[in-house]
Amino acid sequence: PQPVRAYSQLGGRAPAHCVATGKVMLAFGAADRFDAIPATMARHSPNTIVSKAKLLAQLASIQQKGYAVNNEEWRTGVSGLGAAVIGHHGLAVAAVGLTAPTPWLGTRKQTELARLVMDTANAISGQITGTTTHTG
């Protein structure tokens, strides 16, 4: 019932530390991916993680769960989920994401949709690598 403006432009960019697709790319990226993360990062909303230490802890959790969550970290009122598309070398080459109004993406729905996002990312990964890999 409430309109939410959340869109991505083709070729548009968002900081990796505050969107689900960016965080999952970091979590499942190349070994040196953490070296370029600054000690503090720009705040884009009241919920943005700005500490490298907190982001690293979240990335470790993402590696275990297999998906990332954005809880209004980029835009207030908008949350999202992301899962990594894994390439031939076992690293993230892309991500599948879902964005929704925060009230719509409650805990129960989040778990259900996270499975669908991971399944989609895994299907794409399988098309790339010829296998059925799972990141979580």
Side-chain angles (χ1 to χ4, degrees), residues 67 69 71 80-81 105-115:
Y67 68 94
V69 178
N71 288 309
L81 301 169
L105 196 61
T107 305
R108 192 186 78 189
K109 191 150 213 128
Q110 188 180 92
T111 303
E112 181 184 316
L113 292 172
R115 171 59 44 204

Side-chain angles (χ1 to χ4, degrees), residues 51-123:
S51 153
K52 181 176 183 173
K54 287 183 181 179
L55 179 62
L56 292 177
Q58 190 175 74
L59 295 177
S61 173
I62 291 166
Q63 289 171 334
Q64 289 186 344
K65 292 187 305 187
Y67 68 94
V69 178
N70 156 18
N71 288 309
E72 300 185 331
E73 295 162 54
W74 176 233
R75 297 287 184 249
T76 302
V78 180
S79 294
L81 301 169
V85 173
I86 304 299
H88 288 287
H89 300 290
L91 302 174
V93 295
V96 173
L98 176 145
T99 302
T102 298
W104 185 82
L105 196 61
T107 305
R108 192 186 78 189
K109 191 150 213 128
Q110 188 180 92
T111 303
E112 181 184 316
L113 292 172
R115 171 59 44 204
L116 294 174
V117 170
M118 286 191 296
D119 288 348
T120 301
N122 290 332

Side-chain angles (χ1 to χ4, degrees), residues 17 36-43 48-53 55:
H17 71 283
I37 298 173
T40 58
M41 294 156 283
R43 182 175 301 281
T48 303
I49 295 171
V50 296
S51 153
K52 181 176 183 173
L55 179 62

